[in-house]
Amino acid sequence: KAQTVSEQQNKSSETEDPEKGHNRCLPERYLSYDGRKKLLQKLVLEINSRNFSKKTLSNYYCAVSRFIEWLTPNSSKDWYRAFKEHSVWLRDEKKLSANTINTYAASIVFFMKEVLEVEPGEDLFIRMKTGRSLPRVHSLQNITTIITAPTNKKHRLILMLTYGCGLRLGEVCMLKPEDIDLERNVVWVRKGKGKKDRIVMLDESLSPFVASWLTEGCGKRYLFEGYSSGKHLSKRTIEKVYTHACDKA
């Protein structure tokens, strides 16, 4: 009878899926190029099926691909330990900040839960301690100086709308002429953070500048376009506009 129980235990361990549950060992076949590629394809499918943003997809893909490329046959035997060692490696070798490493950690936890189907233990909720720095707050006089610093009409209006309406960089980039309602003095923000629409108030002092831009310099498709007609400005371009305005101010 004891022999029968032992045989049943051996049989169940053979049929148990090594990719699921609390198994701490990553199957070695996933350490090959093709194996890693399949894991990343599963990750992309899980993210897309949840309709996450392209930025989230890019961040998760980067973090997870770096993690599984770092794994070795030895380290993959215990991925909880590998998770911790990888975090330390990112800090000491790649010189990443604690905040960035914690973002990577969240991506890896998602990968383990949704792709490897591993229930995360306490080890996977460990995060690096981060410091707190005070935000840089401009005075009203500094804000006025920064906004009026650009001589380019488009750049000045970008800063006006960003500050005056409390818009994010990505939201300013995607504004279209039809999103501006001058009669009601409102701006429609389409598919903002969380893919949500919202309405923000347009200050009356900004209305004349916006109206002038709509008739004289506005793009065909987007409110602010670059050298290529029909294509919106990038967030990096707006960041440079702000940086140059601060330097000039």
Side-chain angles (χ1 to χ4, degrees), residues 157 160-161 163-166 180-182 184-187 200-211:
L157 184 57
M160 286 180 175
L161 284 176
Y163 176 75
C165 298
I180 309 296
D181 188 342
L182 293 176
R184 298 169 57 195
N185 277 337
V186 297
V187 177
V200 297
M201 298 303 298
L202 178 65
D203 193 275
E204 291 183 359
S205 62
L206 295 181
S207 296
F209 298 98
V210 176

Side-chain angles (χ1 to χ4, degrees), residues 88-151:
V88 175
W89 177 78
L90 290 173
R91 183 196 65 187
D92 296 343
E93 299 297 328
K94 295 302 180 181
K95 308 300 181 183
L96 298 183
S97 67
N99 285 325
T100 302
I101 294 171
N102 289 341
T103 302
Y104 274 46
S107 306
I108 295 170
V109 169
F110 177 87
F111 165 71
M112 290 184 171
K113 288 176 62 178
E114 306 301 336
V115 177
L116 299 179
E117 298 187 27
V118 175
E119 289 298 327
E122 293 183 359
D123 292 341
L124 291 185
F125 289 103
I126 292 177
R127 296 293 183 269
M128 286 197 169
K129 184 177 180 180
T130 59
R132 290 186 177 181
S133 57
L134 293 175
R136 181 184 178 185
V137 180
H138 292 289
S139 66
L140 183 59
Q141 183 178 357
N142 286 342
I143 292 171
T144 303
T145 305
I146 291 172
I147 290 177
T148 57
T151 56

